[in-house]
Amino acid sequence: MARLSHPPSGVGVRARGRVKMNQTQKLLVVDDDEAARGWLAAFAVRLGFEVAIAETGERALDLFEAFQPDLVTLDVQLPGIDGMTTLKALRRMNAHTAVIMLAGAGSTQTIVEAIRNGACDFLRKPFEFEELETAFDKALARTRLDREVEFLRNRRGFPGKYLSLGSNPKMLLVEDVIRHVADTDITVLIRGESGTGKELVARRLYQQSSRSSCPLIKVNCAALPAELLESELFGYEKGAFTGAQRRKLGKFEVANGGTIFLDEISEMHPSLQAKLLQVLQDGQFSRLGGERDIEVDTRVVAATNRDLEASVRAGAFREDLFYRLNVVTISIPPLRERSDEIGPLGEYFLETYSCEYGKECTRLSEELQTAMLIHDWPGNVRELENLIKRIVVLGTEQPALHELAARKSRQSVTSTASRPTELQRYLSGEAESVSLKRIAREATLVAEKHLIERVLERTRWNRKEAARILQISYKALLYKMKDAGLVDSA
């Protein structure tokens, strides 16, 4: 193996090589062997890293805080502070920086001790280019995931928290199923309309499982064509196809020991469904261009907003795969079926984004809350979240009120068009005349009934509270309820 030139000790170097990675990625090389330091530094520069090098553990600790590397290669045998002691110190300084331990020879006990102390990998010298590059890829993927999870946990209003807001019976059932199956290896299928929070349920399952210390990898099956999705999920070997310059780990391999979330599973091409079935059955797959099976221990959580049973009947989705995925199903109700959560969710998002954007947090007006209650929310929780985000950013509710009013108007036109109103009877020739007052009265009654029903549901049929929200007298509310045929079903 040819000896390559290396940068001076402790000096950062920007990549100018052929293979480019993220320019912000930094590597700290810690090795007392000058040749090894030079080779590792030059190799990393070619991959696109900014590199700093240290010949001792003491120098590594000095550089670590100032340089803030994304990745560290650390030799076990070092003068002064040895590699294992240095590893422990680095992990105390930043638990999310990936450390790959290197050694000319290593007993099983040494390897176990290194992993136990926080090393993400252990390589014996000498090693091949591909072996080291694969270790880099895996370590950086793990680091990105760790930092993402830490960010979400520390962020005000951690995603997933709002799943348990309120006491809607349907959502309490969702929480109950999550609690029972989270800490198992069972495959879970999450079903629900777009925007209901399927990914949040997947994250909650992951966070409450014993796999939470390992990666959670999300793959959107609808975002890539079948050929690219296969390489994304299962990886490929060098030379597997034109442009495959090096081995690439698939998401199943990166998620080994953790969880993979397959969103929009119904969009997966039938040719890939068979390969996914093999992973679910045997825990094995082969990379593109690979000659051997790879074993993984990865939990699968899938999600869909489609009718998978209909897809099975149409031949678009394998029946055997459906039954493998459908071991436990979590069905998330649409927001229109849990209107009691609209207000709490709105306040939650208001507080969250006011904090995030540095805005003053004020309460939502009663006018907006009423408009939100009578809206059907086709985009579900995601639509509500985006609406509140716009209110926070713009600093006013008026655009949101106009938007909801316009949508309600379109919905009213659509709903009235499906039944024979006086106007339609006149236009069809069934009536000789038409009363403008009667048409206006009909439309008013429909709108009033819809609004009163939503407010009553929100207040759990507390008529006095509903009258206050609607800004009418208690007697007027009772009269309108009688006129609309509204009776407490509780």
Side-chain angles (χ1 to χ4, degrees):
M1 188 177 295
R3 180 174 296 182
L4 303 175
S5 59
H6 59 88
S9 177
V11 178
V13 179
R14 289 288 182 183
R16 292 182 293 275
R18 293 177 293 105
V19 182
K20 297 287 184 181
M21 295 177 69
N22 188 329
Q23 292 294 309
T24 62
Q25 289 175 330
K26 298 179 180 180
L27 171 69
L28 174 61
V29 175
V30 186
D31 203 304
D32 64 330
D33 186 296
E34 183 179 2
R37 291 198 306 270
W39 183 87
L40 284 166
F43 176 75
V45 166
R46 287 176 56 193
L47 290 179
F49 285 92
E50 180 182 355
V51 180
I53 57 178
E55 62 279 356
T56 65
E58 291 87 346
R59 177 61 176 153
L61 297 179
D62 290 340
L63 278 175
F64 186 80
E65 193 165 356
F67 188 58
Q68 295 186 350
D70 301 285
L71 180 61
V72 178
T73 60
L74 176 62
D75 192 57
V76 173
Q77 300 295 330
L78 292 173
I81 301 178
D82 64 24
M84 210 65 74
T85 304
T86 303
L87 170 63
K88 294 176 184 178
L90 293 176
R91 296 293 292 175
R92 284 195 297 270
M93 294 170 72
N94 189 333
H96 297 303
T97 301
V99 180
I100 299 174
M101 296 295 288
L102 309 176
S107 66
T108 302
Q109 183 179 352
T110 303
I111 296 173
V112 169
E113 184 182 358
I115 300 302
R116 184 182 294 141
N117 288 328
C120 66
D121 211 338
F122 191 104
L123 299 181
R124 289 189 177 92
K125 301 176 183 179
F127 33 74
E128 300 296 327
F129 284 99
E130 290 182 354
E131 185 181 5
L132 185 60
E133 194 171 357
T134 298
F136 281 8
D137 286 345
K138 193 172 181 179
L140 289 172
R142 173 70 180 274
T143 299
R144 285 192 295 270
L145 287 164
D146 284 349
R147 286 175 176 170
E148 178 188 358
V149 170
E150 185 68 17
F151 167 76
L152 292 174
R153 282 176 176 160
N154 292 331
R155 175 183 171 185
R156 189 180 182 88
F158 170 59
K161 172 187 174 183
Y162 69 65
L163 283 174
S164 59
L165 286 180
S167 56
N168 183 274
K170 294 181 179 179
M171 292 309 294
L172 290 177
L173 179 60
V174 169
E175 288 281 0
D176 189 54
V177 177
I178 291 173
R179 186 165 56 253
H180 279 87
V181 304
D183 201 18
T184 70
D185 290 335
I186 203 165
T187 302
V188 178
L189 178 62
I190 305 169
R191 310 184 76 160
E193 295 180 7
S194 178
T196 50
K198 295 186 291 296
E199 183 177 347
L200 295 176
V201 170
R203 286 189 179 277
R204 182 69 69 86
L205 285 165
Y206 163 72
Q207 291 152 8
Q208 295 186 13
S209 75
S210 58
R211 295 173 176 264
S212 59
S213 60
C214 295
L216 168 67
I217 303 291
K218 176 189 174 183
V219 179
N220 188 323
C221 299
L224 296 171
E227 297 79 9
L228 291 180
L229 181 59
E230 182 175 7
S231 65
E232 189 73 8
L233 287 173
F234 305 111
Y236 54 78
E237 297 287 353
K238 179 179 179 181
F241 52 84
T242 304
Q245 301 294 331
R246 59 187 178 90
R247 173 188 292 169
K248 179 183 183 299
L249 298 182
K251 299 298 187 185
F252 267 100
E253 213 168 341
V254 176
N256 190 26
T259 303
I260 189 165
F261 173 47
L262 302 177
D263 198 10
E264 299 192 60
I265 189 69
S266 58
E267 306 305 312
M268 180 177 286
H269 194 273
S271 63
L272 269 180
Q273 293 175 22
K275 199 163 185 176
L276 175 59
L277 182 63
Q278 181 189 4
V279 179
L280 290 173
Q281 289 177 335
D282 307 323
Q284 295 181 337
F285 68 91
S286 58
R287 300 191 191 102
L288 285 172
E291 297 179 353
R292 64 181 182 88
D293 285 340
I294 297 168
E295 293 188 1
V296 290
D297 173 26
T298 304
R299 184 188 193 176
V300 174
V301 176
T304 182
N305 58 6
R306 299 289 184 90
D307 184 345
L308 279 186
E309 290 86 349
S311 298
V312 170
R313 290 193 296 270
F317 201 84
R318 292 179 62 114
E319 186 175 16
D320 48 4
L321 177 58
F322 170 71
Y323 288 121
R324 277 284 178 180
L325 292 171
N326 196 37
V327 179
V328 169
T329 297
I330 298 178
S331 297
I332 311 176
L335 189 56
R336 61 182 173 274
E337 293 181 8
R338 41 188 173 117
S339 57
D340 56 311
E341 293 196 329
I342 292 174
L345 280 169
E347 295 291 346
Y348 165 78
F349 288 130
L350 181 68
E351 180 184 356
T352 297
Y353 288 110
S354 295
C355 178
E356 183 168 327
Y357 296 124
K359 303 282 188 177
E360 182 181 357
C361 182
T362 57
R363 293 186 62 82
L364 299 175
S365 69
E366 288 195 4
E367 181 184 8
L368 179 63
Q369 292 190 53
T370 301
M372 288 162 53
L373 277 172
I374 63 175
H375 183 54
D376 282 339
W377 300 106
N380 292 292
V381 179
R382 185 183 296 120
E383 181 186 354
L384 174 60
E385 181 178 9
N386 289 336
L387 181 84
I388 301 300
K389 187 186 294 186
R390 287 195 296 272
I391 290 173
V392 172
V393 171
L394 296 176
T396 175
E397 293 181 352
Q398 290 308 308
L401 286 167
H402 293 322
E403 178 183 341
L404 292 178
R407 292 188 182 186
K408 186 60 188 173
S409 177
R410 291 195 295 270
Q411 291 167 3
S412 297
V413 170
T414 302
S415 62
T416 55
S418 62
R419 55 189 176 84
T421 63
E422 181 169 335
L423 176 59
Q424 289 172 327
R425 290 195 297 272
Y426 170 76
L427 294 175
S428 66
E430 295 179 18
E432 294 182 356
S433 62
V434 59
S435 170
L436 181 61
K437 288 184 177 180
R438 190 174 298 170
I439 291 172
R441 175 60 178 163
E442 285 181 354
T444 301
L445 286 174
V446 170
E448 282 187 353
K449 178 180 179 180
H450 190 69
L451 174 58
I452 292 170
E453 190 172 20
R454 286 296 185 91
V455 173
L456 285 169
E457 288 175 354
R458 182 192 177 197
T459 61
R460 299 183 182 179
W461 289 81
N462 184 325
R463 295 168 178 77
K464 289 185 178 180
E465 178 65 9
R468 185 191 66 78
I469 293 173
L470 293 167
Q471 299 180 29
I472 59 176
S473 69
Y474 180 74
K475 287 185 178 180
L477 174 62
L478 295 180
Y479 173 80
K480 288 181 179 294
M481 286 176 63
K482 181 179 180 181
D483 197 35
L486 292 172
V487 180
D488 189 350
S489 58

